[in-house]
Amino acid sequence: MIIAEGKPLAEVAGLIQGARKVLVVGCGGCVTVCLAGGEKETGILAAALRLLRQKEGNPLETVEVTLTRQCDPEYVDMLEKYVTDDVDAIVSLACGVGVQFLAERYNKWVVPALNTKFAGGTVEHGVWEERCGLCGECILYKTGGICPIIRCSKSILNGPCGGSQNGKCEVNPETPCAWQLIYDRMQALGKLDLLMEIQPPKDWSKSRDGGPRKVVREDVRLA
């Protein structure tokens, strides 16, 4: 899932400084799971913004809505009845994708309330870790399900750098060496022979290169 965290209240308030009425929109997707932009967080942010503006003597009216997802047009369209002429700005508690979908759909000033961090998962309650670099060319079958692009601090594809000590990364001694993890996993699976295959240089053209990427499934398109 996409992991995000909230911007400081003062920063969000500064983005809507001239607004009198704002629509605060949460997202029921990834940011709900990582406790950054769900219905609860949407209500808290709206209340905090109102209190801050009241303290400044500049009252703010807020309308709060949480969509199932902000990255899907069919749900974004449901916001239309709330985007009235007197709404001066929309505050989005979604990842950067959701912010852009709202901005594309509505002719309003749309601002992000979150900072999008990475694609990852929950490792314990309240702790999320990055696990995928979205490189567009997955080789996890060669590394025992451990991503060297993200888990290795240097994104090395052919074994460890030589600087790790006692299974820890030389960049950060609190970070496990990805290649030690890969070796241990492949040894346990009886597939160490696969690590003897030399991996070619990464083809970064399949990653973030040459503009936005797109996946098209003609078999499910409606038009």
Side-chain angles (χ1 to χ4, degrees), residues 70-89:
Q70 289 190 33
C71 58
D72 196 322
E74 68 176 294
Y75 296 114
V76 173
D77 287 346
M78 295 178 181
L79 199 63
E80 185 171 7
K81 63 182 178 180
Y82 300 100
V83 186
T84 54
D85 291 340
D86 59 343
V87 169
D88 300 309

Side-chain angles (χ1 to χ4, degrees), residues 28-69:
C30 304
V31 293
T32 289
V33 180
C34 68
L35 309 179
E39 184 175 5
K40 177 182 177 181
E41 292 76 28
T42 300
I44 292 173
L45 176 61
L49 289 171
R50 291 195 304 270
L51 288 172
L52 181 61
R53 290 283 288 269
Q54 184 178 10
K55 183 179 179 181
E56 295 173 348
N58 184 17
L60 176 69
E61 180 182 354
T62 63
V63 178
E64 303 156 35
V65 183
T66 299
L67 300 178
T68 301
R69 290 191 296 275

Side-chain angles (χ1 to χ4, degrees), residues 91-105:
V91 178
S92 171
L93 282 87
C95 70
V97 177
V99 176
Q100 293 182 71
F101 267 54
L102 294 189
E104 292 170 8
R105 174 64 176 80

